[in-house]
Structures are given as C-alpha cells and as structure tokens.
Amino acid sequence: DVKVTQSSRYLVKRTGEKVFLECVQDMDHENMFWYRQDPGLGLRLIYFSYDVKMKEKGDIPEGYSVSREKKERFSLILESASTNQTSMYLCASSSEGDRRNEQFFGPGTRLTVL
Amino acid sequence: QKEVEQNSGPLSVPEGAIASLNCTYSDRGSQSFFWYRQYSGKSPELIMFIYSNGDKEDGRFTAQLNKASQYVSLLIRDSQPSDSATYLCAVKLVAGTYKYIFGTGTRLKVLA
C-alpha cells in the first residue's frame, strides 16, 4: 500500500527555533514536494525535489530550506521559526512513470510557532 | 502569476442531487487537471484526473474539461453525506515541469 509518512502530526515551537519536518515515502517515487496549507490560501508549494540532492524553489520558499540526501526522505527546515510560519505542512510524492501524475500526500504536520 | 480559481462555498446540496463544482485556470499551456477530495483534518486524495477536452466518467464522478474556456468541472451524481468535503482543483503546467498549482478548494455539504 502506498505510503507517505511525516515525522509529527502536531508540533509546537518557539520563535527563533530551528525546526525540522521529515517526510518519508516507501513507493520509490522520484518527486517529492512540501506544501503549506492555510485557510483561504489553499495549498502553496514551498519546495520540490525531482531527484536525490536536487531541489527547486516553489512559490513561497522564503524562510525555508530542504534536504534530500536519500530518495525516500525529504526534509523541510525552518531556519529560524516565526509566528507567520504557523500552518499545516503537507508532504507529497509522485512518480514520473505514473500516467495519472497522482500526488500522494502524507497526513500533515500542524505546526504552531509561539 | 499562474492561478487556479474556485468558489470557496460552502455549496450545499440535498442527498441524491447532483453537485457541480467549478474551476478556472489562467495558464493556457496547462496540460493536466486533477480533482482532489480533502476531508476535514485529513490530507488530499486524488479522485479524478483529465487531460483531454470533453467528459470523463468514473462511477458517480464526471470531470469535464474545456480548454478553450480554461474551465474544468466536477459533477457528483447521487450525492451522499459522505461526499461532504473540500474539493481541490489542481493543474499541472506544461510538460516537463513538476509543478502543480492548486485552487483554494470548494467546500461541499451534502444534506441528509
């Protein structure tokens, strides 16, 4: 069964802390994505990766960085958390060989920055 | 800025009726179109995808695409209370890119 897992469902951090969100997929997918989802703004792409060590900025990369050292794992890093980064973070993966181009989503991490 | 627009709703329909959800997109080069369903507190899941102009049916769901009008819709026949969710329209841009643009979603409420 297809699976994308995220390291935490809920996370509370303080302003200025460095935050790591981890995502693991077991489908051998080439592509992995990090989104944030906010009411009224929908899903916005932060970063994506199409191969190990490869990354591209999405629409809102400011304040974030990513790491993909292994094919199955894609990490999102908040270098210095701020209150405006309080959000739901969703990881997704997809396969270039999939004609449906389906993105499979993880359960999400609800991050609160105090 | 490439955009995908949806009415936020809520769209309320009685049980057994047809629910019609609409989406417009701004980039004429868009290639692939998707409808994701997201239950409250859950992550999105794909329910329909369409590439060609016209209709595509899968069970109670029909996706309709009109590239000339830059319009994609989702019809849900015989709506059930379990269909109550937010429906996200997503567009994959030109071939060779990995990026998807999501709409903000339409909240559907099916009344028993």
Side-chain angles (χ1 to χ4, degrees):
Chain A
D1 211 13
V2 161
K3 207 164 206 178
V4 179
T5 57
Q6 295 183 229
S7 49
S8 306
R9 290 301 306 273
Y10 300 94
L11 209 52
V12 180
K13 296 291 181 182
R14 297 209 174 271
T15 302
E17 281 192 77
K18 192 168 186 175
V19 182
F20 293 87
L21 302 182
E22 298 216 321
C23 174
V24 177
Q25 49 95 4
D26 65 358
M27 298 163 283
D28 201 35
H29 284 172
E30 301 84 7
N31 307 320
M32 296 187 76
F33 307 81
W34 275 107
Y35 296 90
R36 63 178 282 178
Q37 186 172 32
D38 301 286
L41 297 177
L43 275 165
R44 294 181 291 165
L45 182 63
I46 304 171
Y47 268 98
F48 64 99
S49 169
Y50 51 90
D51 202 351
V52 174
K53 297 192 186 294
M54 306 304 289
K55 60 186 178 186
E56 286 198 26
K57 292 179 180 179
D59 298 315
I60 51 164
E62 298 78 18
Y64 303 95
S65 61
V66 290
S67 171
R68 193 165 180 203
E69 297 296 318
K70 294 184 177 182
K71 191 175 185 180
E72 67 271 17
R73 190 180 296 268
F74 191 35
S75 301
L76 179 69
I77 303 145
L78 287 67
E79 296 289 343
S80 177
S82 63
T83 54
N84 63 12
Q85 292 178 311
T86 292
S87 186
M88 170 67 83
Y89 290 88
L90 288 162
C91 175
S93 72
S94 70
S95 171
E96 280 310 294
D98 178 8
R99 108 168 248 284
R100 288 158 54 97
N101 281 295
E102 180 173 359
Q103 292 204 356
F104 294 88
F105 285 85
T109 296
R110 185 165 292 284
L111 172 67
T112 302
V113 183
L114 302 176
Chain B
Q1 177 73 9
K2 298 175 175 61
E3 291 182 347
V4 174
E5 296 194 358
Q6 300 178 251
N7 285 327
S8 58
L11 172 67
S12 295
V13 299
E15 184 175 357
I18 295 175
S20 177
L21 305 165
N22 305 313
C23 171
T24 59
Y25 59 94
S26 63
D27 189 342
R28 282 200 173 274
S30 299
Q31 298 263 322
S32 313
F33 307 86
F34 307 86
W35 284 99
Y36 283 80
R37 178 177 61 201
Q38 186 174 24
Y39 291 114
S40 180
K42 302 292 186 183
S43 51
E45 56 178 337
L46 182 69
I47 53 170
M48 289 290 288
F49 68 100
I50 186 167
Y51 304 137
S52 306
N53 274 329
D55 294 0
K56 180 181 178 184
E57 188 174 317
D58 184 3
R60 296 187 295 112
F61 299 100
T62 299
Q64 299 175 315
L65 176 60
N66 183 326
K67 287 187 176 180
S69 301
Q70 295 175 242
Y71 177 93
V72 58
S73 64
L74 178 71
L75 301 178
I76 306 174
R77 288 181 300 284
D78 189 24
S79 295
Q80 301 297 309
S82 59
D83 295 324
S84 299
T86 297
Y87 290 80
L88 305 175
C89 174
V91 172
K92 189 168 186 272
L93 303 180
V94 296
T97 181
Y98 307 93
K99 285 186 65 172
Y100 299 70
I101 306 294
F102 281 83
T104 54
T106 297
R107 192 154 64 96
L108 173 67
K109 295 172 95 171
V110 180
L111 307 171

